[in-house]
Amino acid sequence: MTQQQAVRSERERNWAGNYRYGAPEVRHPESVGELQALVRGASCIQALGSGHSFNAIADSTGIQVSLDRMPPVLAIDGQAMTVTVGGGSNYGTLAVALAERGLALANLASLPHISVAGAVATATHGSGDGNANLAAAVVRIVLVDGTGELRTVTRADTPDFAGHVVGMGALGIVTEVTLAVEPAFIVAQHVYRDVEWAQVLADYDAVTGRAYSVSLFTDWSGDTVGQAWFKQRIGDGRTADYPAELLGGRAAAEAVHPLPGVSAVNCTEQLGLPGQWQDRLPHFRMEFMPSAGEEIQSEYLVDRVHAVAAITALRGLSGVITPLLQVAEIRSVAADDLWLSTAGGRDSVAFHFTWFRDQAAVEEVVKVVEAALAPFGARPHWGKVFDADASSLAPLYPRFDDFKALAARLDPEGKFRNAFLQRTVFGR
Ligand SMILES: Cc1cc2nc3c(=O)[nH]c(=O)nc-3n(C[C@H](O)[C@H](O)[C@H](O)COP(=O)(O)OP(=O)(O)OC[C@H]3O[C@@H](n4cnc5c(N)ncnc54)[C@H](O)[C@@H]3O)c2cc1C
């Protein structure tokens, strides 16, 4: 079947299965020229990455474009310490290629399966007080804009570069992304069970500052955090040790999955065993299903000065949250300068929720969570389920109107404006 004939016959739904794409066609251009022609001829078109978002962000009433048949791009510049990948590449493949050359990305999300362009477009992040989100590593983007023109934007030379990176597909179809890299490093992962909330809240900064990347997993009930994961970067100057007992909890005697009762076989190596960065920074291994599969996710980022107050507010909602929750995760994200980044301009704490896959119930509970976190200026993860719309999101982003103006410039006919973007960015 040629890409012209490719009517919707695949990936009917997103990864989680909670959203059915409405786009009648999926196209797979095999060259940049073919992609440009496709955009020029379309009235409504949207890039589809690996489909891991939990909402309608990657949908279109016309064409969805997958770049999976474009020629692979992988160019490493050891002098500039950058890597360039194609718009369809995923982090798993990229990480292996970098590691083979003794290089690394500063951070990864919980799973390596997602596409680089899709993750960057939604400000996907991992954890770490000093680690900004994955989009912050971008130094150059090449995209096909709404007129079909190929544009290259760089951090060094493009004045409004910071507006282009977290683009949510609204600015064009990204064909290449260039990321900053660094020398490869070693990480050891230590997991503690039943850490006491009282000790965590007594000095929250000390807990999240203990390791390169820290995640707290909780169901928001009771006096203890279910699991605390410390990803220790060997040789980064932190001197913390990992005794048998920490913060009132005990070191896990065997590898654990964040979800209660699920086998840890899907998870990256724990028990303090040192390994390459790409085998420890994600929670989940590339060759297995990440997380639970049957789930819906939501996430909110607040300025980390409000961390303890926001945690206290969420613990107070346990009666509403916990029954629908598989697990929640608390992470740190360092500030960046990207206009629509959820951590833009503020060091942040991220409150993630893995819900049971009950769409109607999730849509109700996120309203309660959003009301509780509203006093802290919570910004929802663009790729997950949330209730807020453009009118409530605009005040949270100082460059919101500038982003809309940039989108109007790059996409004058509004080809990339799907229903999700109308609701959350452009206003109905
Ligand atoms: C199991 C699981 C775990 C997750 N863990 C994390 C986590 O640890 N941290 C976190 O922050 N998020 C996490 N997420 C959310 C996920 O990272 C985001 O939803 C991300 O956007 C998914 O990337 P994707 O390639 O699947 O993008 P898609 O869902 O396919 O698309 C997302 C957006 O990117 C745009 N896009 C995709 N490709 C291009 C392109 N070439 N050019 C222009 N725009 C493009 C789409 O148009 C759309 O706007 C997780 C999701 C799942 C399912």
Side-chain angles (χ1 to χ4, degrees):
M1 187 163 54
T2 70
Q3 64 97 6
Q4 280 80 7
Q5 295 165 327
V7 287
R8 170 128 254 150
S9 61
E10 65 203 293
R11 196 176 272 295
E12 299 264 336
R13 290 176 175 272
N14 62 344
W15 174 86
N18 70 313
Y19 182 78
R20 181 188 289 276
Y21 296 119
E25 279 184 83
V26 186
R27 295 291 187 96
H28 301 265
E30 294 177 10
S31 68
V32 172
E34 211 177 309
L35 173 63
Q36 289 177 281
L38 198 57
V39 171
R40 280 196 195 100
S43 58
C44 194
I45 186 163
Q46 201 74 20
L48 175 65
S50 54
H52 282 80
S53 294
F54 293 86
N55 56 36
I57 190 169
D59 207 354
S60 171
T61 51
I63 299 169
Q64 274 181 318
V65 185
S66 169
L67 303 190
D68 59 355
R69 293 189 204 151
M70 298 274 278
V73 179
L74 180 72
I76 293 176
D77 183 338
Q79 202 78 33
M81 289 298 276
T82 59
V83 62
T84 298
V85 292
S89 310
N90 69 50
Y91 279 100
T93 310
L94 169 59
V96 169
L98 286 175
E100 279 171 5
R101 292 163 176 82
L103 295 170
L105 299 169
N107 208 1
L108 290 167
S110 70
L111 75 177
H113 311 66
I114 48 178
S115 80
V116 175
V120 163
T122 62
T124 286
H125 60 89
S127 189
D129 287 0
N131 293 326
N133 70 39
L134 305 185
V138 175
V139 296
R140 172 180 166 274
I141 279 179
V142 181
L143 60 79
V144 176
D145 72 13
T147 70
E149 189 189 326
L150 195 63
R151 288 175 183 256
T152 300
V153 295
T154 66
R155 184 169 271 289
D157 298 318
T158 309
D160 49 9
F161 172 79
H164 287 78
V165 183
V166 180
M168 295 192 285
L171 307 177
I173 316 266
V174 172
T175 59
E176 286 183 24
V177 186
T178 302
L179 304 169
V181 297
E182 58 185 87
F185 53 91
I186 300 294
V187 176
Q189 195 160 222
H190 308 266
V191 176
Y192 287 82
R193 286 174 173 275
D194 301 324
V195 160
E196 288 174 11
W197 269 122
Q199 294 203 41
V200 170
L201 298 182
D203 193 349
Y204 183 73
D205 290 346
V207 175
T208 65
R210 189 176 183 88
Y212 185 67
S213 171
V214 176
S215 289
L216 302 177
F217 290 97
T218 178
D219 70 1
W220 293 114
S221 72
D223 296 329
T224 56
V225 178
Q227 296 174 16
W229 289 37
F230 297 93
K231 296 176 192 269
Q232 174 193 23
R233 179 167 171 164
I234 307 295
D236 72 351
R238 283 185 178 81
T239 52
D241 59 352
Y242 291 90
E245 293 195 1
L246 187 68
L247 300 164
R250 61 192 189 288
E254 55 190 28
V256 292
H257 193 289
L259 293 167
V262 178
S263 160
V265 69
N266 301 15
C267 298
T268 49
E269 196 89 53
Q270 302 164 24
L271 304 172
L273 207 67
Q276 283 289 333
W277 62 280
Q278 79 280 7
D279 297 328
R280 297 292 182 279
L281 291 179
H283 302 330
F284 304 109
R285 295 176 199 256
M286 181 68 182
E287 56 280 22
F288 288 97
M289 155 89 81
S291 198
E294 299 261 321
E295 66 189 60
I296 296 174
Q297 297 183 9
S298 304
E299 190 163 29
Y300 298 91
L301 281 80
V302 308
D303 189 318
R304 75 170 280 141
V305 298
H306 302 305
V308 172
I311 288 170
T312 305
L314 290 170
R315 290 183 74 201
L317 286 178
S318 167
V320 185
I321 294 174
T322 308
L324 195 58
L325 190 70
Q326 302 198 43
V327 78
E329 181 180 6
I330 308 172
R331 292 180 276 187
S332 306
V333 189
D336 61 59
D337 66 344
L338 305 174
W339 295 359
L340 289 198
S341 165
T342 43
R346 58 193 208 189
D347 288 336
S348 299
V349 53
F351 296 106
H352 160 94
F353 303 82
T354 301
W355 309 107
F356 288 106
R357 205 175 63 187
D358 179 339
Q359 184 74 26
V362 170
E363 287 176 9
E364 287 308 308
V365 79
V366 295
K367 291 179 190 163
V368 179
V369 171
E370 286 177 31
L373 294 180
F376 312 116
R379 295 169 175 165
H381 190 307
W382 295 113
K384 303 188 178 183
V385 171
F386 60 92
D387 185 60
D389 62 14
S391 63
S392 47
L393 293 170
L396 301 175
Y397 292 90
R399 306 298 299 268
F400 207 75
D401 286 341
D402 293 329
F403 180 82
K404 293 202 281 187
L406 179 63
R409 186 152 61 78
L410 266 57
D411 179 26
E413 293 174 34
K415 294 181 179 187
F416 301 125
R417 291 192 191 186
N418 59 20
F420 173 92
L421 289 166
Q422 287 295 354
R423 186 177 72 80
T424 61
V425 178
F426 297 105
R428 287 181 203 280

